[in-house]
Amino acid sequence: MPEEQEQLFTITIDGVTIEVPKGTTILNAARQIGPSVAPPAMCYYSKLEGSGGKCRTCLVEVAAGSTKDPRPMPKLVASCRTEVMDGMIVKNVTSEKAIDARHGIVEYLLINHPLDCPICDQAGECYLQDLSYNNGEVGTRYEFKRRTFVREDIGPYIQLHMTRCILCYRCLMVADQLTDSRTQGILLRGDASEISTYISKAIDNDFSGNMIDVCPVGALTDRTYRFKNRVWFLKPVDAHRDCDKCCGKVTLWNRGEEVFRVTSRKDPWGEVQIIDGKAAWICNTCRFEKKKTDDWIIDGPTKIDRHSVISTNHYVEKVIPPDPLKEVLFGREPLLLMDIQETSEVNSQDIDLSILPGPATSTTFIERDEQKEIEEADAERLAINDHKKP
Amino acid sequence: MSVQFSPEKLDKINELISHYPEGKHKSALIGVLHIAEEEFGWLSVNTMDYVASLLKLQPIEVYEVASFYSMFNLKPVGKYVFEVCQTGPCMLKGSDQIIDYIKQKLNIGVGETTEDGMFTLKTVECLGACGYAPMMQMGKFYKEHLTPERVDQIIEECRNNSARNN
Amino acid sequence: MSKKLLLDKINVPGIKTFEVYRREGGYQSVEKALKMQTGDIVEEVKKSGLRGRGGAGFPTGLKWSFLAKPEGVARYLVCNADESEPGTFKDRYLMEFIPHLLIEGMITSSFALGSNVSYIYIRGEYDWVADILQAALDEAKQNGFLGKNILGSGFDCEVYLYRGAGAYICGEETALLESLEGKRGLPRIKPPFPAVKGVWGCPTVVNNVETICAVVPIINEGGDAYAKIGVGKSTGTKLISACGNINKPGVYEIDMTISVEEFIYSDEYCGGIANGKRLKACIPGGSSVPILPANLLLKTAKGEPRLMNYESLADGGFITGSSMGSGGFIVLDEDQCVVRHTYTISRFYHHESCGQCSPCREGTGWLEKIFKKIETGKGEMKDIDLLWDVQRRIEGNTICPFGDAAAWPVAAAIRHFRDEFEWHVLNPEECLVRNFGLAHYADALEAVTS
Ligand SMILES: Cc1cc2nc3c(=O)[nH]c(=O)nc-3n(C[C@H](O)[C@H](O)[C@H](O)COP(=O)(O)O)c2cc1C
Ligand code: SF4
Ligand code: SF4
Ligand code: FES
Ligand code: FES
């Protein structure tokens, strides 16, 4: 058979035009352009077949269907499940309608959410947090009782907090597509739906841990990491080992010598990376049982999005934000019990953890020229305060 | 306690499976669950696991389906289940009063079963009998044009029936 | 008396049996169709202008012509007898009292579409109706209308019954197909449409009971003859199930030329409002479509009398009009509370949402809770706006039209009856025992009926 030539379609998203192969979804086309125009996706996961279409956060406006039929589409469409047509014009952040709908979706997703980020292990790498910060409104208009469920351990490794679940169905797809049988499912329907095993069965399967990675919120979390640390205090490094079950290529989340948790390697969209042409899912042995640095060969620091909360205070070019406290206290000095920026070893300024060759250890922090740092910081703070004076 | 369908029921199930193309026996699931309800009154975990093994499905697939559809009982219910419709058209014709009447008459709340295990009261949404409202479903049949007197009569009949069958 | 095509024989004693039905001219359409080219049958249905009777009103002939016909892949016809839209009970009436009509329509349509195995998906609660249908199917089989090589035509035809188990959403065609596959009734994301990928991945046509029944007179008398009945794009006859506060609730077959006023007040149909009350409002097409106050129901915004057909009921869009929907005609008299009625409808949608997509899953529950708050005298003015906002952001943003169906009744109730909502807020104690004054909505009525 002669190789079919790949047909290219032109699509314009928020004014940026790009050519993509036929069959590409609007969302993936937008991702190729970049994060500024890519709609948020809470349920779509490119490595899971059949995912998407459910959360409706990726809704966009189609201002022109195609060159052939340039009529606008009457409704917003789910960009993750809508294929590009040649000459299509799409409005995402430039569409008031899409933005308004997204505000609505965030509100719907949050009305029954417990908002327990302070005690949630996912905080800091939670897509619902990001979504709400970017698209949510201040305050809630919901004044009724929130739906609650009892926390459940499904097996020795995974904990299910159904209250936090947004029913994206990703974990079911992991179970269907990566493991040999599914023990958890969705019970009931409507807003009573819940992920459950129904009879508290353990989920026991070599690849079940990947459910934790695909879960966009803190509904499925790693029991071996529970309450051990916060992600922004950890330093992620890429590492690998020879594994007979999976690719063995992972991200270690360290503090000093200690490996706090192991996850798969993520791409900029929060999905597991494609390594050697395959999605780099990892097995439970690598994820839960190899918690020593010796188990691993370090490949180098993990590249983390500069804007992620995980990079907080890991910048080189230091910009200390003005402290709003004084302003709201009408000039009075707030009583600080502890200045995290000065007290924390790991959380300190001026050390770009990403460029360290290996895991960060406490010596990394001791060795720095402390005095210089403090002086600099003081000078800067003074400068900012000066600036604010009338 | 192990569960087991009677040979006639098993025949019926095989007949059901034959309605669908080769390999699509999952289509028989809802039908088999109906048969199971008929046989055992409600769907216990044992029953559902048994159904799963009959149809070569994962148990969770059966739980998922059984819990989705409102007709399946995942908990034991009374001998007679009154499912009173409370949606708009029935409400216009006084379904609220009928529900209150049954509550008071049987001294149970919605979702509860009488102490003797005879009656369960449930509220349901539109059953497609809006023109004959207010109405309720009792087992296989609909009881339509309900009035307090009619409810009395139905309860009476149930009691008599059950006395006869004992 | 308007012409009856579906219910003309309904009062013949014993019409439920094959013998009587056949004696009355039943199953002729099958004999006729088997001698026709399948393409010609589809053409007749196209000519008839028949529109789907399940709610969406999509032209049936066109839908049939979209059915993909890949080589070596089975095609399926599935009859949607899930009928669960509040106010609608016409399909049950057909199946219960003249079951062979549906079976005849199924065989004729199966032949036209090349479906050797077809299914009737009936809602689980219609248990005894399923028995009636099953008995009729058995009779048809004994008489050679079902089975291998029917009537020696070389066409194999089986029709199986499939009982649902209580889920309104399984009326949505793709959810129905999921359910038919033995799964949870979650609507599929379209495309692909069922005509290309339906049940078990095969091309499938889903049609309402009444639609399939209407195929019988169309084949018997020809598409053109059928198209002559009715007006404009509302051809043929339509079953309306009327309920609520009227003298004669029930199922009526109308040709779509009569006015709404005639339908409500004439003795042939609803026989007027019960107990000598006045008309307040009406939902003309099943719970999903907008409610209309009496004045807008009887006359369009242009002041013309409103007729019982697709175009006229929709005249004015959703601002001043409504929709034919599924033909569930719900009438509210002056003593009824629109807030309470809409509350029960919201509760219905909350109960029936499949929960797959977030706006519908979370929004329907929220709507119900706000309604309950207002209805029980705890509402605030801001709740009315909140209701509006919540429904507005559900509409159009969901996977399946269920979201719209949940939003529209709320929008219409606020649009036309806002003062009644406000009265609930302003009179928190009174609203528990009494209803809002109604003169306002019934006023226009006097002018029309005098
Ligand atoms: C939420 C929802 C519920 C529906 N319920 C029914 C139903 O109970 N019966 C029905 O025939 N169609 C129902 N429909 C319409 C079907 O999806 C479909 O359009 C119809 O069965 C097509 O048949 P028709 O073209 O003959 O009308 C429903 C649609 C939606 C969105
Ligand atoms: S548990 Fe997580 S992955 Fe699973 S459905 Fe809920 S949010 Fe999605
Ligand atoms: S709109 Fe409602 S019923 Fe339809 S798919 Fe979404 S959640 Fe399910
Ligand atoms: S990402 Fe597209 S709907 Fe969820
Ligand atoms: S509303 Fe009660 S049967 Fe339809």
Side-chain angles (χ1 to χ4, degrees):
Chain A
M1 230 171 46
E3 206 164 294
E4 240 177 80
Q5 188 153 16
E6 207 170 29
Q7 208 179 342
L8 288 180
F9 280 174
T10 310
I11 175 171
T12 307
I13 306 173
D14 285 343
V16 187
T17 304
I18 185 178
E19 278 198 334
V20 292
K22 183 183 171 192
T24 309
T25 58
I26 298 176
L27 183 90
N28 281 329
R31 283 183 174 183
Q32 286 181 29
I33 296 173
S36 59
V37 301
M42 298 295 289
C43 67
Y44 173 74
Y45 201 92
S46 63
K47 284 98 193 169
L48 294 172
E49 205 184 312
S51 66
K54 304 204 190 296
C55 70
R56 317 304 285 176
T57 55
C58 70
L59 291 174
V60 293
E61 186 180 336
V62 176
S66 65
T67 321
K68 254 193 238 140
D69 180 5
R71 284 176 304 172
M73 290 192 184
K75 288 181 183 180
L76 301 177
V77 301
S79 58
C80 66
R81 292 291 292 253
T82 310
E83 287 183 8
V84 164
M85 303 295 281
D86 198 21
M88 196 183 239
I89 300 175
V90 172
K91 286 159 91 182
N92 174 26
V93 289
T94 50
S95 161
E96 256 174 55
K97 227 171 120 194
I99 297 294
D100 177 65
R102 210 166 283 154
H103 279 308
I105 309 290
V106 174
E107 192 170 25
Y108 296 135
L109 286 176
L110 290 179
I111 60 173
N112 274 313
H113 192 83
L115 303 175
D116 57 348
C117 312
I119 53 151
C120 175
D121 276 335
Q122 186 88 358
E125 52 176 14
C126 172
Y127 289 90
L128 189 57
Q129 281 186 327
D130 294 352
L131 183 79
S132 320
Y133 289 139
N134 294 335
N135 300 286
E137 277 161 45
V138 178
T140 177
R141 299 185 285 177
Y142 188 74
E143 48 186 12
F144 305 99
K145 236 179 105 190
R146 284 163 198 266
R147 175 179 66 216
T148 51
F149 298 90
V150 186
R151 190 178 70 224
E152 192 185 342
D153 287 332
I154 38 182
Y157 296 132
I158 306 175
Q159 189 165 62
L160 170 66
H161 284 257
M162 187 55 215
T163 35
R164 297 175 187 152
C165 170
I166 60 155
L167 291 164
C168 69
Y169 287 61
R170 283 180 185 173
C171 57
L172 303 190
M173 293 173 193
V174 165
D176 274 337
Q177 294 168 30
L178 296 184
T179 69
D180 34 83
S181 76
R182 179 154 66 85
T183 24
Q184 97 278 28
I186 298 213
L187 297 182
L188 301 167
R189 70 181 185 209
D191 62 3
S193 308
E194 57 171 314
I195 303 283
S196 171
T197 55
Y198 192 57
I199 42 170
S200 297
K201 257 192 213 156
I203 293 186
D204 185 16
N205 197 292
D206 273 344
F207 282 83
S208 60
N210 290 296
M211 292 194 289
I212 301 169
D213 277 348
V214 300
C215 184
V217 293
L220 293 169
T221 48
D222 183 342
R223 280 187 73 192
T224 66
Y225 172 66
R226 181 168 153 77
F227 292 161
K228 291 261 167 69
N229 218 307
R230 310 249 51 169
V231 287
W232 57 89
F233 289 144
L234 300 179
K235 174 181 157 29
V237 286
D238 286 353
H240 71 269
R241 63 182 277 271
D242 277 332
C243 177
D244 49 5
K245 292 188 198 134
C246 69
C247 63
K249 298 196 167 69
V250 303
T251 298
L252 303 180
W253 295 77
N254 287 350
R255 181 165 174 178
E257 291 290 345
E258 200 178 339
V259 178
F260 273 83
R261 63 167 187 166
V262 182
T263 65
S264 61
R265 295 189 193 169
K266 306 279 182 72
D267 70 10
W269 310 109
E271 297 184 5
V272 10
Q273 283 178 11
I274 302 271
I275 300 175
D276 304 330
K278 277 212 303 259
W281 305 109
I282 60 169
C283 69
N284 285 3
T285 315
C286 287
R287 183 186 301 270
F288 299 116
E289 279 158 24
K290 303 290 169 197
K291 293 280 180 84
K292 286 205 263 349
T293 324
D294 295 350
D295 296 330
W296 299 96
I297 301 155
I298 308 290
D299 297 330
T302 303
K303 209 167 154 359
I304 294 277
D305 178 5
R306 195 174 182 280
H307 300 283
S308 163
V309 64
I310 299 169
S311 313
T312 305
N313 300 321
H314 294 185
Y315 300 140
V316 185
E317 306 109 74
K318 167 179 57 181
V319 182
I320 295 182
D323 185 349
L325 261 182
K326 282 186 196 142
E327 228 163 331
V328 294
L329 292 177
F330 304 105
R332 277 180 291 130
E333 281 285 334
L335 181 63
L336 277 188
L337 293 179
M338 180 187 83
D339 183 349
I340 187 81
Q341 319 253 352
E342 307 208 317
T343 324
S344 164
E345 280 184 348
V346 188
N347 203 36
S348 72
Q349 314 281 329
D350 294 324
I351 290 184
D352 181 11
L353 292 170
S354 299
I355 59 169
L356 291 182
T361 64
S362 45
T363 43
T364 320
F365 301 97
I366 294 162
E367 274 167 13
R368 71 194 158 170
D369 186 354
E370 277 189 46
Q371 202 45 45
K372 194 175 144 233
E373 299 300 324
I374 290 165
E375 274 166 16
E376 255 180 37
D378 281 350
E380 205 158 310
R381 231 166 269 174
L382 280 175
I384 289 165
N385 285 344
D386 272 341
H387 181 70
K388 270 196 294 190
K389 273 178 199 148
Chain B
M1 191 191 78
S2 78
V3 281
Q4 176 78 43
F5 284 131
S6 62
E8 301 87 72
K9 293 268 148 88
L10 283 174
D11 283 348
K12 218 166 141 190
I13 289 167
N14 285 329
E15 149 84 19
L16 266 184
I17 294 173
S18 75
H19 292 181
Y20 312 104
E22 205 49 50
K24 305 295 180 198
H25 49 270
K26 186 169 180 185
S27 286
L29 175 55
I30 293 175
V32 176
L33 288 175
H34 275 307
I35 296 175
E37 279 242 320
E38 231 170 75
E39 186 108 336
F40 307 113
W42 65 289
L43 301 176
S44 64
V45 172
N46 272 338
T47 310
M48 289 192 280
D49 288 350
Y50 173 57
V51 169
S53 67
L54 274 182
L55 292 175
K56 300 183 189 65
L57 300 171
Q58 290 297 327
I60 187 69
E61 294 180 76
V62 180
Y63 310 151
E64 278 186 324
V65 167
S67 65
F68 184 87
Y69 295 95
S70 59
M71 280 178 76
F72 296 127
N73 295 307
L74 301 184
K75 292 203 183 82
V77 286
K79 188 158 180 187
Y80 298 97
V81 185
F82 290 175
E83 296 175 294
V84 190
C85 171
Q86 56 168 355
T87 314
C90 278
M91 185 277 290
L92 295 175
K93 303 280 271 187
S95 61
D96 292 351
Q97 287 86 317
I98 295 294
I99 295 169
D100 285 344
Y101 183 77
I102 299 178
K103 274 194 206 163
Q104 170 223 323
K105 168 108 188 172
L106 295 176
N107 198 18
I108 49 175
V110 173
E112 292 173 4
T113 304
T114 50
E115 267 169 28
D116 56 3
M118 276 277 274
F119 299 102
T120 300
L121 173 63
K122 280 190 179 179
T123 53
V124 293
E125 302 295 344
C126 181
L127 294 179
C130 326
Y132 323 110
M135 61 80 63
M136 70 177 183
Q137 178 164 29
M138 199 184 91
K140 202 178 178 75
F141 296 100
Y142 282 9
K143 305 281 177 190
E144 294 163 344
H145 301 294
L146 294 179
T147 56
E149 295 76 51
R150 181 103 174 86
V151 170
D152 287 346
Q153 200 189 330
I154 293 167
I155 292 176
E156 200 55 33
E157 275 167 27
C158 293
R159 292 220 165 102
N160 290 342
N161 263 342
S162 129
R164 248 203 318 279
N165 294 344
N166 271 345
Chain C
M1 274 274 280
S2 56
K3 191 168 164 64
K4 291 197 173 33
L5 297 175
L6 305 180
L7 302 185
D8 52 344
K9 303 277 164 51
I10 201 104
N11 290 324
V12 176
I15 195 74
K16 274 186 202 178
T17 62
F18 180 85
E19 200 195 329
V20 177
Y21 182 77
R22 180 84 173 129
R23 198 179 64 218
E24 292 288 326
Y27 286 103
Q28 281 175 8
S29 77
V30 176
E31 293 167 310
K32 187 166 173 190
L34 289 177
K35 297 197 193 89
M36 291 168 74
Q37 294 293 319
T38 56
D40 295 341
I41 306 177
V42 176
E43 211 43 49
E44 282 306 313
V45 175
K46 262 193 191 163
K47 267 196 266 173
S48 73
L50 174 65
R51 294 168 64 168
R53 303 295 195 223
F58 192 81
T60 306
L62 200 58
K63 185 183 223 172
W64 285 15
S65 64
F66 287 158
L67 185 69
K69 300 197 171 67
E71 225 22 70
V73 179
R75 275 165 265 155
Y76 292 98
L77 168 67
V78 179
C79 172
N80 187 343
D82 191 54
E83 185 166 73
S84 317
E85 171 114 349
T88 316
F89 47 100
K90 62 183 177 72
D91 297 344
R92 161 188 167 188
Y93 191 77
L94 281 171
M95 295 185 288
E96 190 171 355
F97 296 111
I98 183 159
H100 283 286
L101 181 63
L102 174 62
I103 296 169
E104 180 178 353
M106 282 300 281
I107 301 171
T108 306
S109 309
S110 297
F111 178 71
L113 296 167
S115 161
N116 296 110
V117 180
S118 304
Y119 298 93
I120 300 174
Y121 185 103
I122 185 169
R123 71 177 296 182
E125 291 90 341
Y126 287 172
D127 198 348
W128 81 101
V129 184
D131 288 352
I132 293 172
L133 271 180
Q134 188 58 53
L137 282 169
D138 293 344
E139 278 185 309
K141 189 153 192 168
Q142 280 154 21
N143 287 283
F145 281 89
L146 286 173
K148 292 238 171 298
N149 186 16
I150 58 168
L151 306 182
S153 63
F155 178 65
D156 299 344
C157 187
E158 286 294 351
V159 176
Y160 295 119
L161 261 190
Y162 188 100
R163 267 183 76 205
Y168 165 65
I169 190 57
C170 291
E172 198 281 337
E173 52 185 3
T174 54
L176 183 146
L177 297 178
E178 284 285 299
S179 183
L180 186 55
E181 292 182 7
K183 302 183 192 149
R184 295 159 61 82
L186 305 182
R188 295 178 182 168
I189 295 157
K190 286 164 274 187
F193 290 93
V196 179
K197 258 188 163 174
V199 67
W200 305 302
C202 303
T204 306
V205 164
V206 181
N207 272 133
N208 174 256
V209 172
E210 189 189 341
T211 315
I212 289 178
C213 290
V215 170
V216 174
I218 289 173
I219 297 308
N220 281 337
E221 290 163 37
D224 287 329
Y226 189 87
K228 282 207 191 81
I229 308 168
V231 284
K233 287 188 179 155
S234 301
T235 61
T237 61
K238 173 89 188 82
L239 295 190
I240 304 288
S241 57
C243 61
N245 309 112
I246 45 176
N247 278 321
K248 289 168 54 194
V251 178
Y252 299 100
E253 182 168 10
I254 58 166
D255 74 16
M256 290 181 264
T257 55
I258 64 167
S259 69
V260 176
E261 189 177 348
E262 183 185 349
F263 185 71
I264 297 182
Y265 290 101
S266 88
D267 277 337
E268 195 186 336
Y269 304 109
C270 304
I273 308 299
N275 306 320
K277 301 266 190 226
R278 289 181 303 169
L279 170 70
K280 176 179 186 179
C282 170
I283 304 177
S287 65
S288 309
V289 308
I291 187 171
L292 287 178
N295 51 352
L296 280 175
L297 175 73
L298 299 175
K299 285 195 169 182
T300 65
K302 293 178 218 138
E304 291 158 5
R306 206 182 276 283
L307 305 181
M308 291 291 286
N309 64 41
Y310 288 93
E311 291 82 17
S312 186
L313 283 174
D315 189 292
F318 277 6
I319 307 297
T320 61
S322 184
S323 166
M324 175 70 109
S326 60
F329 198 83
I330 311 170
V331 178
L332 281 73
D333 73 22
E334 56 186 304
D335 287 347
Q336 303 304 337
C337 172
V338 169
V339 177
R340 178 152 187 83
H341 190 262
T342 319
Y343 161 54
T344 67
I345 289 182
S346 277
R347 182 178 59 205
F348 170 81
Y349 285 106
H350 176 208
H351 184 257
E352 300 296 338
S353 164
C354 84
Q356 206 184 174
C357 58
S358 22
C360 170
R361 178 182 66 236
E362 307 294 346
T364 51
W366 198 0
L367 286 176
E368 184 199 330
K369 291 191 182 91
I370 306 170
F371 261 113
K372 185 164 183 190
K373 186 180 165 198
I374 297 176
E375 170 61 20
T376 50
K378 302 192 188 86
E380 300 161 66
M381 283 299 175
K382 70 173 177 25
D383 291 329
I384 305 172
D385 297 324
L386 184 57
L387 272 180
W388 182 265
D389 235 30
V390 173
Q391 67 79 21
R392 181 175 67 81
R393 281 160 160 182
I394 300 175
E395 187 201 341
N397 292 340
T398 52
I399 293 178
C400 83
F402 181 102
D404 306 345
W408 290 335
V410 177
I414 300 178
R415 185 180 296 124
H416 298 302
F417 298 90
R418 192 176 174 109
D419 44 357
E420 192 161 340
F421 283 81
E422 290 178 357
W423 180 82
H424 275 74
V425 172
L426 295 172
N427 302 282
E429 270 147 39
E430 233 181 313
C431 78
L432 298 176
V433 288
R434 191 172 79 76
N435 272 319
F436 178 59
L438 306 150
H440 172 63
Y441 303 113
D443 274 350
L445 177 68
E446 243 81 54
V448 182
T449 49
S450 60

